[in-house]
PDB file of all heavy atoms in Angstrom:
ATOM      1  N   ASP K 402      73.712  82.298 101.383  1.00 90.00           N
ATOM      2  CA  ASP K 402      74.317  81.810 100.136  1.00 90.00           C
ATOM      3  C   ASP K 402      75.841  82.069 100.076  1.00 90.00           C
ATOM      4  O   ASP K 402      76.406  81.772  99.062  1.00 90.00           O
ATOM      5  CB  ASP K 402      73.607  82.426  98.910  1.00 90.00           C
ATOM      6  CG  ASP K 402      73.791  83.946  98.891  1.00 90.00           C
ATOM      7  OD1 ASP K 402      74.786  84.443  99.474  1.00 90.00           O
ATOM      8  OD2 ASP K 402      72.960  84.603  98.313  1.00 90.00           O
ATOM      9  N   LYS K 403      76.387  82.537 101.124  1.00 94.00           N
ATOM     10  CA  LYS K 403      77.850  82.760 101.196  1.00 94.00           C
ATOM     11  C   LYS K 403      78.380  83.799 100.137  1.00 94.00           C
ATOM     12  O   LYS K 403      79.534  83.823  99.898  1.00 94.00           O
ATOM     13  CB  LYS K 403      78.630  81.447 101.090  1.00 94.00           C
ATOM     14  CG  LYS K 403      78.377  80.524 102.258  1.00 94.00           C
ATOM     15  CD  LYS K 403      79.469  79.428 102.392  1.00 94.00           C
ATOM     16  CE  LYS K 403      79.157  78.293 101.496  1.00 94.00           C
ATOM     17  NZ  LYS K 403      80.171  77.173 101.655  1.00 94.00           N
ATOM     18  N   SER K 404      77.472  84.561  99.583  1.00 96.00           N
ATOM     19  CA  SER K 404      78.035  85.663  98.774  1.00 96.00           C
ATOM     20  C   SER K 404      78.502  86.695  99.784  1.00 96.00           C
ATOM     21  O   SER K 404      78.053  86.743 100.959  1.00 96.00           O
ATOM     22  CB  SER K 404      76.899  86.252  97.829  1.00 96.00           C
ATOM     23  OG  SER K 404      75.774  86.633  98.531  1.00 96.00           O
ATOM     24  N   VAL K 405      79.404  87.555  99.374  1.00 98.00           N
ATOM     25  CA  VAL K 405      80.132  88.426 100.278  1.00 98.00           C
ATOM     26  C   VAL K 405      79.751  89.916  99.892  1.00 98.00           C
ATOM     27  O   VAL K 405      79.946  90.311  98.771  1.00 98.00           O
ATOM     28  CB  VAL K 405      81.614  88.234 100.205  1.00 98.00           C
ATOM     29  CG1 VAL K 405      82.352  89.177 101.140  1.00 98.00           C
ATOM     30  CG2 VAL K 405      81.950  86.750 100.596  1.00 98.00           C
ATOM     31  N   PHE K 406      79.173  90.617 100.831  1.00 98.00           N
ATOM     32  CA  PHE K 406      78.730  91.982 100.557  1.00 98.00           C
ATOM     33  C   PHE K 406      79.749  92.992 101.174  1.00 98.00           C
ATOM     34  O   PHE K 406      80.182  92.888 102.316  1.00 98.00           O
ATOM     35  CB  PHE K 406      77.391  92.236 101.221  1.00 98.00           C
ATOM     36  CG  PHE K 406      76.269  91.460 100.539  1.00 98.00           C
ATOM     37  CD1 PHE K 406      76.126  90.060 100.794  1.00 98.00           C
ATOM     38  CD2 PHE K 406      75.437  92.106  99.653  1.00 98.00           C
ATOM     39  CE1 PHE K 406      75.132  89.389 100.102  1.00 98.00           C
ATOM     40  CE2 PHE K 406      74.427  91.386  98.996  1.00 98.00           C
ATOM     41  CZ  PHE K 406      74.285  90.025  99.210  1.00 98.00           C
ATOM     42  N   ILE K 407      80.129  93.958 100.349  1.00 98.00           N
ATOM     43  CA  ILE K 407      81.096  94.978 100.786  1.00 98.00           C
ATOM     44  C   ILE K 407      80.515  96.355 100.584  1.00 98.00           C
ATOM     45  O   ILE K 407      80.052  96.689  99.510  1.00 98.00           O
ATOM     46  CB  ILE K 407      82.360  94.840  99.859  1.00 98.00           C
ATOM     47  CG1 ILE K 407      82.929  93.458 100.022  1.00 98.00           C
ATOM     48  CG2 ILE K 407      83.388  95.912 100.216  1.00 98.00           C
ATOM     49  CD1 ILE K 407      83.642  93.006  98.762  1.00 98.00           C
ATOM     50  N   ALA K 408      80.466  97.157 101.617  1.00 98.00           N
ATOM     51  CA  ALA K 408      80.021  98.522 101.511  1.00 98.00           C
ATOM     52  C   ALA K 408      81.174  99.387 101.052  1.00 98.00           C
ATOM     53  O   ALA K 408      82.121  99.584 101.762  1.00 98.00           O
ATOM     54  CB  ALA K 408      79.468  98.995 102.882  1.00 98.00           C
ATOM     55  N   HIS K 409      81.096  99.870  99.825  1.00 98.00           N
ATOM     56  CA  HIS K 409      82.024 100.878  99.327  1.00 98.00           C
ATOM     57  C   HIS K 409      81.381 102.226  99.579  1.00 98.00           C
ATOM     58  O   HIS K 409      80.491 102.688  98.847  1.00 98.00           O
ATOM     59  CB  HIS K 409      82.282 100.680  97.858  1.00 98.00           C
ATOM     60  CG  HIS K 409      83.222  99.501  97.596  1.00 98.00           C
ATOM     61  ND1 HIS K 409      82.809  98.252  97.136  1.00 98.00           N
ATOM     62  CD2 HIS K 409      84.575  99.413  97.767  1.00 98.00           C
ATOM     63  CE1 HIS K 409      83.879  97.487  97.023  1.00 98.00           C
ATOM     64  NE2 HIS K 409      84.986  98.149  97.411  1.00 98.00           N
ATOM     65  N   THR K 410      81.800 102.892 100.625  1.00 98.00           N
ATOM     66  CA  THR K 410      81.018 103.955 101.164  1.00 98.00           C
ATOM     67  C   THR K 410      80.926 105.220 100.209  1.00 98.00           C
ATOM     68  O   THR K 410      79.885 105.800 100.031  1.00 98.00           O
ATOM     69  CB  THR K 410      81.509 104.376 102.522  1.00 98.00           C
ATOM     70  OG1 THR K 410      80.475 105.087 103.280  1.00 98.00           O
ATOM     71  CG2 THR K 410      82.786 105.181 102.553  1.00 98.00           C
ATOM     72  N   ASN K 411      82.004 105.581  99.602  1.00 98.00           N
ATOM     73  CA  ASN K 411      82.058 106.625  98.552  1.00 98.00           C
ATOM     74  C   ASN K 411      83.555 106.891  98.234  1.00 98.00           C
ATOM     75  O   ASN K 411      84.389 106.401  98.887  1.00 98.00           O
ATOM     76  CB  ASN K 411      81.342 107.930  98.972  1.00 98.00           C
ATOM     77  CG  ASN K 411      81.881 108.499 100.298  1.00 98.00           C
ATOM     78  OD1 ASN K 411      83.093 108.454 100.568  1.00 98.00           O
ATOM     79  ND2 ASN K 411      81.009 109.016 101.155  1.00 98.00           N
ATOM     80  N   ASN K 412      83.717 107.695  97.162  1.00 98.00           N
ATOM     81  CA  ASN K 412      85.121 108.101  96.812  1.00 98.00           C
ATOM     82  C   ASN K 412      84.962 109.310  95.889  1.00 98.00           C
ATOM     83  O   ASN K 412      84.748 109.116  94.685  1.00 98.00           O
ATOM     84  CB  ASN K 412      85.848 106.948  96.179  1.00 98.00           C
ATOM     85  CG  ASN K 412      87.288 107.252  95.943  1.00 98.00           C
ATOM     86  OD1 ASN K 412      87.723 108.434  96.082  1.00 98.00           O
ATOM     87  ND2 ASN K 412      88.119 106.221  95.671  1.00 98.00           N
ATOM     88  N   SER K 413      85.125 110.466  96.440  1.00 96.00           N
ATOM     89  CA  SER K 413      84.928 111.686  95.650  1.00 96.00           C
ATOM     90  C   SER K 413      86.002 111.797  94.544  1.00 96.00           C
ATOM     91  O   SER K 413      85.774 112.457  93.522  1.00 96.00           O
ATOM     92  CB  SER K 413      84.977 112.913  96.559  1.00 96.00           C
ATOM     93  OG  SER K 413      86.127 112.924  97.326  1.00 96.00           O
ATOM     94  N   ASN K 414      87.116 111.095  94.728  1.00 96.00           N
ATOM     95  CA  ASN K 414      88.157 111.090  93.703  1.00 96.00           C
ATOM     96  C   ASN K 414      87.591 110.597  92.362  1.00 96.00           C
ATOM     97  O   ASN K 414      88.133 110.947  91.294  1.00 96.00           O
ATOM     98  CB  ASN K 414      89.320 110.146  94.055  1.00 96.00           C
ATOM     99  CG  ASN K 414      90.179 110.751  95.126  1.00 96.00           C
ATOM    100  OD1 ASN K 414      89.938 111.853  95.613  1.00 96.00           O
ATOM    101  ND2 ASN K 414      91.172 109.997  95.580  1.00 96.00           N
TER     102      ASN K 414
END
Side-chain angles (χ1 to χ4, degrees):
D402 61 26
K403 295 198 277 185
S404 56
V405 178
F406 290 77
I407 301 149
H409 283 104
T410 200
N411 55 37
N412 188 346
S413 54
N414 287 357

